[in-house]
Short mmCIF file of all heavy atoms in Angstrom, two decimals:
data_model
loop_
_atom_site.label_atom_id
_atom_site.label_comp_id
_atom_site.label_asym_id
_atom_site.label_seq_id
_atom_site.Cartn_x
_atom_site.Cartn_y
_atom_site.Cartn_z
N ARG A 804 -6.99 8.01 11.26
CA ARG A 804 -6.00 6.87 11.46
C ARG A 804 -6.35 6.21 12.76
O ARG A 804 -6.77 6.77 13.72
CB ARG A 804 -4.63 7.39 11.51
CG ARG A 804 -4.35 8.49 12.63
CD ARG A 804 -3.17 9.29 12.35
NE ARG A 804 -2.74 9.98 13.59
CZ ARG A 804 -1.93 10.97 13.64
NH1 ARG A 804 -1.35 11.39 12.57
NH2 ARG A 804 -1.60 11.52 14.84
N TRP A 805 -6.27 4.81 12.64
CA TRP A 805 -6.56 3.97 13.83
C TRP A 805 -5.66 2.80 13.97
O TRP A 805 -5.13 2.42 12.87
CB TRP A 805 -8.01 3.47 13.65
CG TRP A 805 -9.04 4.46 13.30
CD1 TRP A 805 -9.64 5.34 14.10
CD2 TRP A 805 -9.46 4.80 11.95
NE1 TRP A 805 -10.55 6.15 13.45
CE2 TRP A 805 -10.30 5.81 12.16
CE3 TRP A 805 -9.18 4.30 10.70
CZ2 TRP A 805 -10.97 6.44 10.99
CZ3 TRP A 805 -9.82 4.95 9.55
CH2 TRP A 805 -10.69 5.96 9.73
N VAL A 806 -5.39 2.41 15.17
CA VAL A 806 -4.59 1.23 15.40
C VAL A 806 -5.36 0.42 16.40
O VAL A 806 -5.86 0.84 17.41
CB VAL A 806 -3.12 1.58 15.81
CG1 VAL A 806 -3.09 2.50 17.04
CG2 VAL A 806 -2.34 0.37 16.15
N LEU A 807 -5.45 -0.97 16.01
CA LEU A 807 -6.27 -1.86 16.84
C LEU A 807 -5.37 -2.79 17.70
O LEU A 807 -4.16 -2.96 17.42
CB LEU A 807 -7.16 -2.64 15.94
CG LEU A 807 -8.06 -1.95 14.99
CD1 LEU A 807 -8.95 -2.89 14.16
CD2 LEU A 807 -8.90 -0.78 15.62
N ASN A 808 -5.93 -3.34 18.70
CA ASN A 808 -5.29 -4.31 19.57
C ASN A 808 -6.30 -5.40 19.82
O ASN A 808 -6.94 -5.42 20.93
CB ASN A 808 -4.80 -3.58 20.84
CG ASN A 808 -3.88 -4.56 21.55
OD1 ASN A 808 -3.49 -5.57 21.16
ND2 ASN A 808 -3.43 -4.08 22.75
N HIS A 809 -6.48 -6.31 18.91
CA HIS A 809 -7.56 -7.27 18.90
C HIS A 809 -6.94 -8.64 19.31
O HIS A 809 -5.91 -9.01 18.82
CB HIS A 809 -8.15 -7.36 17.50
CG HIS A 809 -9.39 -8.23 17.46
ND1 HIS A 809 -9.26 -9.61 17.37
CD2 HIS A 809 -10.65 -7.93 17.36
CE1 HIS A 809 -10.50 -10.14 17.24
NE2 HIS A 809 -11.35 -9.14 17.25
N PRO A 810 -7.58 -9.34 20.19
CA PRO A 810 -7.00 -10.60 20.65
C PRO A 810 -6.62 -11.62 19.58
O PRO A 810 -5.67 -12.34 19.69
CB PRO A 810 -8.07 -11.24 21.64
CG PRO A 810 -9.24 -10.38 21.43
CD PRO A 810 -8.87 -9.09 20.82
N GLN A 811 -7.37 -11.60 18.49
CA GLN A 811 -7.22 -12.58 17.38
C GLN A 811 -6.30 -12.05 16.31
O GLN A 811 -6.06 -12.70 15.33
CB GLN A 811 -8.45 -13.07 16.81
CG GLN A 811 -9.19 -14.08 17.68
CD GLN A 811 -10.54 -14.35 17.26
OE1 GLN A 811 -11.42 -13.60 17.60
NE2 GLN A 811 -10.79 -15.40 16.42
N LEU A 812 -5.93 -10.75 16.44
CA LEU A 812 -5.00 -10.11 15.47
C LEU A 812 -3.74 -9.61 16.15
O LEU A 812 -3.47 -8.41 16.16
CB LEU A 812 -5.73 -9.00 14.69
CG LEU A 812 -7.10 -9.43 14.06
CD1 LEU A 812 -7.73 -8.14 13.49
CD2 LEU A 812 -6.83 -10.41 12.88
N GLN A 813 -2.91 -10.52 16.74
CA GLN A 813 -1.79 -10.09 17.42
C GLN A 813 -0.52 -10.24 16.60
O GLN A 813 -0.50 -11.08 15.82
CB GLN A 813 -1.62 -10.84 18.73
CG GLN A 813 -2.62 -10.48 19.88
CD GLN A 813 -2.45 -9.04 20.38
OE1 GLN A 813 -1.32 -8.64 20.62
NE2 GLN A 813 -3.52 -8.29 20.36
N ASP A 814 0.43 -9.28 16.75
CA ASP A 814 1.70 -9.40 16.06
C ASP A 814 2.40 -10.66 16.41
O ASP A 814 2.76 -10.92 17.57
CB ASP A 814 2.51 -8.13 16.45
CG ASP A 814 3.95 -8.19 15.81
OD1 ASP A 814 4.17 -9.04 14.91
OD2 ASP A 814 4.75 -7.31 16.23
N ASN A 815 2.49 -11.58 15.44
CA ASN A 815 3.16 -12.87 15.70
C ASN A 815 3.64 -13.50 14.38
O ASN A 815 2.79 -13.65 13.47
CB ASN A 815 2.16 -13.90 16.38
CG ASN A 815 2.89 -15.08 16.84
OD1 ASN A 815 3.79 -15.63 16.20
ND2 ASN A 815 2.37 -15.60 17.95
N ILE A 816 4.92 -13.69 14.26
CA ILE A 816 5.52 -14.06 12.99
C ILE A 816 5.20 -15.55 12.59
O ILE A 816 5.44 -15.95 11.47
CB ILE A 816 7.11 -13.86 13.05
CG1 ILE A 816 7.71 -14.02 11.69
CG2 ILE A 816 7.78 -14.95 13.99
CD1 ILE A 816 8.56 -12.78 11.31
N SER A 817 4.57 -16.23 13.55
CA SER A 817 4.13 -17.62 13.16
C SER A 817 2.60 -17.81 12.99
O SER A 817 2.15 -18.94 13.01
CB SER A 817 4.67 -18.70 14.12
OG SER A 817 4.53 -18.23 15.40
N VAL A 818 1.81 -16.77 12.97
CA VAL A 818 0.39 -16.87 12.96
C VAL A 818 -0.19 -16.18 11.68
O VAL A 818 0.12 -14.96 11.45
CB VAL A 818 -0.18 -16.27 14.21
CG1 VAL A 818 -1.69 -16.03 14.21
CG2 VAL A 818 0.25 -17.11 15.48
N TYR A 819 -1.02 -16.88 11.02
CA TYR A 819 -1.90 -16.21 9.99
C TYR A 819 -3.18 -15.80 10.63
O TYR A 819 -3.70 -16.40 11.54
CB TYR A 819 -2.34 -17.29 8.92
CG TYR A 819 -1.03 -17.64 8.06
CD1 TYR A 819 -0.28 -18.71 8.40
CD2 TYR A 819 -0.80 -16.88 6.81
CE1 TYR A 819 0.84 -18.99 7.51
CE2 TYR A 819 0.33 -17.19 6.06
CZ TYR A 819 1.18 -18.21 6.51
OH TYR A 819 2.26 -18.40 5.59
N TRP A 820 -3.58 -14.61 10.15
CA TRP A 820 -4.86 -14.04 10.82
C TRP A 820 -6.01 -14.50 9.99
O TRP A 820 -5.99 -14.65 8.79
CB TRP A 820 -4.77 -12.45 10.76
CG TRP A 820 -3.83 -11.92 11.72
CD1 TRP A 820 -3.13 -12.45 12.76
CD2 TRP A 820 -3.27 -10.57 11.65
NE1 TRP A 820 -2.39 -11.57 13.48
CE2 TRP A 820 -2.46 -10.42 12.78
CE3 TRP A 820 -3.52 -9.46 10.88
CZ2 TRP A 820 -1.73 -9.21 13.08
CZ3 TRP A 820 -2.86 -8.21 11.11
CH2 TRP A 820 -1.89 -8.11 12.29
N ASP A 821 -7.14 -14.73 10.68
CA ASP A 821 -8.37 -15.22 10.05
C ASP A 821 -9.08 -14.19 9.20
O ASP A 821 -9.27 -13.14 9.61
CB ASP A 821 -9.32 -15.69 11.16
CG ASP A 821 -10.50 -16.41 10.62
OD1 ASP A 821 -10.42 -17.64 10.22
OD2 ASP A 821 -11.55 -15.78 10.50
N ALA A 822 -9.36 -14.61 7.94
CA ALA A 822 -9.98 -13.63 6.98
C ALA A 822 -11.28 -13.03 7.48
O ALA A 822 -11.59 -11.86 7.32
CB ALA A 822 -10.17 -14.31 5.66
#
Side-chain angles (χ1 to χ4, degrees):
R804 59 197 197 197
W805 310 278
V806 52
L807 308 184
N808 191 2
H809 186 284
Q811 282 169 277
L812 305 173
Q813 287 295 310
D814 177 10
N815 189 324
I816 193 121
S817 48
V818 169
Y819 288 90
W820 290 344
D821 185 79

